[in-house]
Amino acid sequence: MGRSSKDKRDIYYRLAKEEGWRARSAFKLLQLDEEFNLFKGVSRAVDLCAAPGSWSQVLSRKLRGKDKSEDVKIVAVDLQAMAPLPGVTQIQGDITKISTAQEIIRHFEGQSADLVVCDGAPDVTGLHDVDEYIQAQLLLAALNITTHVLKPGGNFVAKIFRGKDVTLLYSQLKIFFSSVTCAKPRSSRNSSIEAFVVCQNYSPPEGYVPNMSNPLLDHSYDVDFNQLEGPNRIIVPFLACGDLSAFDSDRTYPLQLDSSKEYQYLPPTQPPIRPPYQQACQLRKNNLLAKEDSPSGALDDSLSTEILQEVQELDSRRLVQIYFL
Ligand SMILES: C[S@@+](CC[C@H](N)C(=O)[O-])C[C@H]1O[C@@H](n2cnc3c(N)ncnc32)[C@H](O)[C@@H]1O
């Protein structure tokens, strides 16, 4: 599909061309690294769903450094073939297959990976529910293969759609990682429900045996999992561009949005808000309140976009926590 003139005006599209990245997505990984220091101490990395290869390029440039360290091993997996990259071994394969996990481990000579990233996306159908469901399945497939190849203490980063299953996905990720944060890099388009889960410190439950055959997203629940309460409902910090950490300036915890659900805020971990952010905070608060009326529980898109634009104007450099409900 050809690029529209809108794409060409996009700053990251132009920057990617200038800097020689295969796709503008490269900036998403670079910005996630800026925030989470993902590449520190990494010598074995896996890029799942890698084609055309901009994330692999980032790994190659960042991990191998100027001296092109031969100690660094990077494996890129995709259904499609991609042009070769220095220091990157390619596996043309399916991330849902055990044979792919075995091939990765073979390449690492029996050792585990320090970092697994996945920017996987299925072909979009345009039917939101279907797209969200397939994306969730792909994320879980990525998590499944990750449990085979990641070392304890390692990190996993993956694309997620903030759709209606998102709470369950967070809960499932939290079973395997001590920290799960949802982040939206500023290069990810505001209009997209795409975000990234940054899962740190892989620590599977004791006795867990990796297994490619059990789907983790089980739709056989007889209750809507979005109605789950208490410990079954794990709420993770959601990061966005701009400082919204104190949008709850009146600090009323927990916030009661309607009579049937109690939404818990986690205490802010960031420094106090600066005055210009107050307006964005108010918008965010409105958005949360608007959510009450939304049957799917999804955030109101126009408000989300409005907030993000507002925040970007205020300060596109700072990332601070807001809380995803
Ligand atoms: C958005 S692209 C990835 C872009 C890439 N991160 C980059 O920066 O160039 C999504 C990729 O996911 C791949 N993909 C989807 N399902 C897959 C699967 N089951 N196994 C392997 N790759 C898959 C597609 O072939 C596609 O190349």
Side-chain angles (χ1 to χ4, degrees):
M1 197 175 67
R3 294 278 165 204
S4 71
S5 54
K6 194 172 163 210
D7 283 329
K8 288 178 185 153
R9 280 200 311 271
D10 175 273
I11 179 170
Y12 290 109
Y13 175 84
R14 283 187 282 125
L15 263 182
K17 289 261 166 231
E18 264 173 51
E19 295 179 10
W21 302 110
R22 291 182 181 180
R24 71 188 287 294
S25 319
F27 294 102
K28 300 175 192 169
L29 186 57
L30 288 166
Q31 289 163 3
L32 289 168
D33 174 53
E34 269 171 34
E35 188 59 28
F36 295 93
N37 209 4
L38 295 170
F39 302 149
K40 188 165 178 229
V42 171
S43 55
R44 285 179 300 278
V46 181
D47 182 9
L48 300 173
C49 303
S54 79
W55 279 29
S56 293
Q57 276 183 297
V58 170
L59 293 173
S60 171
R61 289 191 201 175
K62 289 280 180 181
L63 301 183
R64 296 166 76 238
K66 287 200 181 74
D67 52 351
K68 314 264 181 282
S69 168
E70 292 300 322
D71 299 337
V72 170
K73 288 182 189 289
I74 302 164
V75 178
V77 181
D78 202 288
L79 292 169
Q80 302 175 44
M82 63 187 211
L85 281 169
V88 178
T89 301
Q90 287 183 44
I91 298 173
Q92 191 172 352
D94 185 338
I95 65 164
T96 64
K97 297 275 189 285
I98 182 75
S99 54
T100 307
Q102 287 162 346
E103 216 172 316
I104 296 170
I105 292 166
R106 249 198 316 278
H107 180 69
F108 289 150
E109 293 163 353
Q111 293 189 290
S112 303
D114 305 305
L115 173 70
V116 178
V117 296
C118 177
D119 185 31
D123 288 340
V124 178
T125 65
L127 300 168
H128 295 313
D129 282 355
V130 175
D131 291 339
E132 277 168 33
Y133 177 78
I134 300 173
Q135 180 66 30
Q137 291 300 321
L138 197 59
L139 169 59
L140 291 169
L143 172 63
N144 250 353
I145 194 168
T146 295
T147 63
H148 286 75
V149 301
L150 188 63
K151 71 170 190 192
N155 296 335
F156 170 60
V157 176
K159 190 192 328 254
I160 190 167
F161 283 176
R162 288 173 293 130
K164 64 180 163 49
D165 288 347
V166 78
T167 322
L168 179 64
L169 288 171
Y170 290 151
S171 307
Q172 287 167 321
L173 292 165
K174 273 293 274 184
I175 294 170
F176 294 95
F177 294 89
S178 60
S179 163
V180 177
T181 307
C182 184
K184 186 154 176 94
R186 54 192 183 281
S187 51
S188 172
R189 294 178 212 275
N190 292 343
S191 54
S192 162
I193 58 166
E194 161 195 277
F196 293 87
V197 275
V198 178
C199 308
Q200 290 166 299
N201 189 20
Y202 178 55
S203 34
E206 220 179 299
Y208 174 78
V209 181
N211 173 2
M212 294 296 265
S213 64
N214 58 333
L216 294 167
L217 187 69
D218 184 348
H219 274 270
S220 62
Y221 291 111
D222 56 4
V223 291
D224 177 0
F225 40 77
N226 281 310
Q227 304 294 323
L228 296 175
E229 285 178 2
N232 291 345
R233 189 178 170 94
I234 296 183
I235 298 171
V236 300
F238 173 66
L239 290 178
C241 305
D243 185 345
L244 296 182
S245 64
F247 71 86
D248 49 322
S249 50
D250 44 359
R251 305 275 160 103
T252 47
Y253 300 114
L255 176 68
Q256 198 75 32
L257 288 183
D258 70 35
S259 54
S260 63
K261 292 181 198 154
E262 191 178 72
Y263 294 89
Q264 186 194 357
Y265 284 159
L266 305 176
T269 56
Q270 298 291 327
I273 202 162
R274 287 181 283 150
Y277 291 98
Q278 292 296 357
Q279 204 185 344
C281 292
Q282 189 54 49
L283 281 167
R284 173 68 185 165
K285 209 168 192 174
N286 293 345
N287 195 15
L288 291 177
L289 294 173
K291 182 175 184 282
E292 225 182 334
D293 299 322
S294 158
S296 67
L299 292 179
D300 178 289
D301 274 352
S302 59
L303 271 174
S304 302
T305 308
E306 198 182 348
I307 291 163
L308 289 169
Q309 279 168 354
E310 181 84 3
V311 172
Q312 277 178 334
E313 270 168 35
L314 294 171
D315 183 349
S316 63
R317 287 296 309 158
R318 267 185 75 145
L319 277 177
V320 179
Q321 286 168 325
I322 57 176
Y323 302 107
F324 183 78
L325 300 178

